Amino acid sequence: MKYKGWLLPPALRDFHEGRIWLKNHSPFSSAHIDKAIERKYFNLIEGIQMKPVIRCNRCHNTNPQLFTLFDCSKCQQQCLYCRHCIKMGRVSSCTNLMVWIGPKAIKTYKHLFKWAGQFTELQQQAANETLASVEAKRSHLIHAVCGAGKTELLFPTVYDALKRGLRVCIATPRTDVVLELTPRFQQVFPETIIHALYGGVSQQHGYAQMVIATTHQLYRFDKAFDVIIVDEADAFPYTFDETLQRAVGKAKKEHAPIVFVTATPSPSLLHAFQQESYSFISKRYHNHPLPVPQVRALWGYDKSFQRGTIPKRLKKWTEERLSQKQPFLIFFPTIALMNRAEPLFQLLDEKIVAVHAADSERKEKVLKLRNKEVPGLLTTTILERGITISNVQVAVIGAESLIFTANALIQIAGRVGRDRQFPAGEVLFFHHGITIEMDEACAKIALYNRKGFPNE
């Protein structure tokens, strides 16, 4: 593709369109980047904006405590850099960020839609409402119980947007959700270029008309998307980090709608959307009630693990799952307790392994559980959402711990009974003291069942 006497590599345009990027982090040669800058295909903006307030122009961090002075070898002066997004490469006060303003990527209007599923009445209503909102460029909230088929009801809205040549982003706070969603959308849209973006992923090629990314990755986008879907919109850290929320706003075009999707919306989300642009699904797609957690005392479980033994009730529950060949997830409140427990569970079955957020093999371990290569996983709350395993059974150790909020417990319970072939299952909250959060989780699940099955 030739522009003004220079052959523009289409891959350079396709990669940089919609992105805000550090020059020295571009996957293209500095010669090509310099030529594109010379042709004014990039708008260069300062990395750290000093007035009226200090702000990182990539992640929009304005917290003074997250900026640090350092002796810069590049400009031979003291520079300020943003610690908030340092993992994506250092943005400093002598750094320029590049925003593509050159020739536009070629959009595709023909997309193969390969889904033969059928909606329930409630799903169809929510799908229609979501599509109508997006067509009207109006933001929307989908509030649906765990296992209601939230992903599937997004298909018509995504397909409609792609057919109109729009660029779609599905953003989620958790890497595991990206890994869960990507193959599902690739299967439904097999001829669409879809990129999955999360920390450590290798570069993907072509112009992605659909992007599935962690919300952190949206720091690197600017006015890129015509539609943004925020899946698991209540999940940590999105709800607690204002820069992630601003990143979503920054990554979308000016009038682009945002669709929020969650089983456990925050009060502020409900307040913002419940009057209009709101869809509620009170029961699962397979028309069976949600498994209601059982609460079981497990006194002194921490001391038991310290002594090198699994508490009797928990050991019996695990042995039953192993004998019945039922996959299981056992949630722990801390990595330290989980690591102490792992070798003890491996005495029951050597293939049982632990997984947590910083585990470099967590993707492979979840896949092994899905493929029945391991019988069960010990995990932190990292797997509380965005994972579907057929016939999985769940236990929570130390359900009284602060990490297990009502929403977290609802999401954990929501891993069970998602499969039409196995619509029931066991959820146990092991504890040494019942909390308000545990009571609230059980009460909300029971309430959803009453709403979904009012005559039972």
Side-chain angles (χ1 to χ4, degrees), residues 120-195:
T120 65
E121 187 177 339
L122 286 174
Q123 282 179 317
Q124 188 66 64
Q125 180 182 341
N128 292 344
E129 291 167 349
T130 305
L131 177 57
S133 286
V134 170
E135 286 181 331
K137 296 188 176 180
R138 184 176 64 238
S139 292
H140 195 89
L141 171 62
I142 299 172
H143 175 193
V145 299
C146 295
K150 295 185 287 294
T151 301
E152 287 77 9
L153 65 86
L154 295 173
F155 292 160
T157 296
V158 171
Y159 183 45
D160 176 74
L162 293 173
K163 283 193 303 180
R164 289 190 281 139
L166 304 182
R167 197 177 194 190
V168 179
C169 174
I170 298 180
T172 174
R174 301 286 177 87
T175 298
D176 303 272
V177 181
V178 174
L179 297 174
E180 179 88 13
L181 291 180
T182 301
R184 294 171 70 178
F185 276 93
Q186 286 174 331
Q187 188 174 14
V188 173
F189 301 102
E191 295 179 2
T192 302
I193 296 177
I194 301 173
H195 286 179

Side-chain angles (χ1 to χ4, degrees), residues 207-280:
Y207 176 74
Q209 210 162 317
M210 184 174 182
V211 171
I212 303 175
T214 59
T215 45
H216 282 88
Q217 291 296 317
L218 296 192
Y219 292 149
R220 288 172 157 165
F221 286 89
D222 185 76
K223 299 180 181 63
F225 300 106
D226 302 283
V227 179
I228 292 187
I229 298 165
V230 181
D231 194 19
E232 306 294 354
D234 67 298
F236 179 86
Y238 179 78
T239 47
F240 297 95
D241 190 339
E242 289 185 7
T243 64
L244 287 176
Q245 296 164 36
R246 288 199 293 268
V248 170
K250 177 175 71 77
K252 76 181 189 71
K253 293 179 182 176
E254 186 178 357
H255 298 294
I258 303 174
V259 177
F260 297 96
V261 185
T262 178
T264 47
S266 64
S268 59
L269 260 183
L270 279 173
H271 179 73
F273 286 95
Q274 214 161 10
Q275 300 306 314
E276 59 177 349
S277 300
Y278 171 77
S279 301
F280 177 57

